């Protein structure tokens, strides 16, 4: 297993390949518990593509835009909904197929192995979901990141 920083960098590279661009802004820091944490704000545009190559779990929260997300399995739709307010847990090493029909911004929070392996996390969030509290928290994080230019700690 690679170290946490290397896994996050590989994951950011995977997202950059998927989006075709760099993050709007990103930040990382060592927490008080010596655990590496990171987040990035991404802009997505219309496409149908497989997201793969990420080495850490991502809590992805769609914040704003005018788009519909569609998760595909074997070419068939298994979930479809408006992008703003949608949340998905993208599990490390688990490719997923997506159809995006518009532009939107999404905050990615890169989860440590300790968090992502907590009981019930991985099986509870196989499909996108909505949670207004998490979305409001993500909007606050996004604002802090953009206001600080990514130097928020």
């Amino acid at each position: 297993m690679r170290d946490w920083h290397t896994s996050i960098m590989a994951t950011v590279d995977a997202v950059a390949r998927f989006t075709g661009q760099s993050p709007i802004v990103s930040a990382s820091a060592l927490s008080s518990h010596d655990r590496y944490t990171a987040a990035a704000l991404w802009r997505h545009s219309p496409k149908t593509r497989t997201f793969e190559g990420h080495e850490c779990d991502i809590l992805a929260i769609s914040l704003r835009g005018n788009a519909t997300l569609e998760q595909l399995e074997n070419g068939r739709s298994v979930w479809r909904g408006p992008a703003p307010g949608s949340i998905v847990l993208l599990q490390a090493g688990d490719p997923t197929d997506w159809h995006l029909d518009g532009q939107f911004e999404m905050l990615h929070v890169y989860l440590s192995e300790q968090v992502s392996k907590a009981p019930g996390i991985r099986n509870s969030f196989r499909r996108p979901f909505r949670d207004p509290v998490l979305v409001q928290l993500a909007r606050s994080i996004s604002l802090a990141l953009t206001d600080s230019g990514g130097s928020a700690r």
Side-chain angles (χ1 to χ4, degrees):
M1 174 108 165
R2 292 162 71 158
D3 70 66
W4 184 237
H5 182 264
T6 304
S7 292
I8 289 175
M9 294 296 95
T11 298
V12 168
D13 288 345
V15 179
R17 286 190 303 275
F18 182 80
T19 64
Q21 56 192 321
S22 297
I24 298 167
V25 65
S26 62
S28 59
L30 283 173
S31 76
S32 60
H33 300 291
D34 243 4
R35 295 286 179 224
Y36 193 81
T37 58
L41 185 62
W42 294 89
R43 183 170 290 116
H44 289 271
S45 57
K47 66 179 65 63
T48 300
R49 186 174 294 163
T50 299
F51 177 58
E52 60 189 345
H54 49 300
E55 294 185 10
C56 58
D57 289 353
I58 304 168
L59 185 64
I61 306 160
S62 300
L63 300 176
R64 56 192 141 284
N66 186 19
T68 300
L69 300 178
E70 186 171 14
Q71 186 178 12
L72 307 170
E73 283 184 5
N74 300 315
R76 298 183 60 195
S77 178
V78 294
W79 184 90
R80 182 179 170 87
S86 294
I87 304 166
V88 63
L89 178 64
L90 299 165
Q91 297 179 13
D94 187 10
T96 51
D97 295 326
W98 296 93
H99 174 72
L100 317 174
D101 74 355
Q103 295 188 1
F104 63 97
E105 289 181 5
M106 179 175 265
L107 178 72
H108 286 186
V109 178
Y110 305 106
L111 303 177
S112 72
E113 192 172 318
Q114 278 185 319
V115 171
S116 63
K117 293 200 184 235
I121 295 290
R122 298 189 123 232
N123 293 330
S124 298
F125 303 112
R126 297 291 302 162
R127 300 279 178 253
F129 62 98
R130 301 178 86 69
D131 182 317
V133 174
L134 282 177
V135 171
Q136 187 57 47
L137 181 61
R139 286 184 179 132
S140 297
I141 293 168
S142 170
L143 183 61
L145 282 172
T146 54
D147 283 353
S148 69
S151 62
R153 301 272 181 220

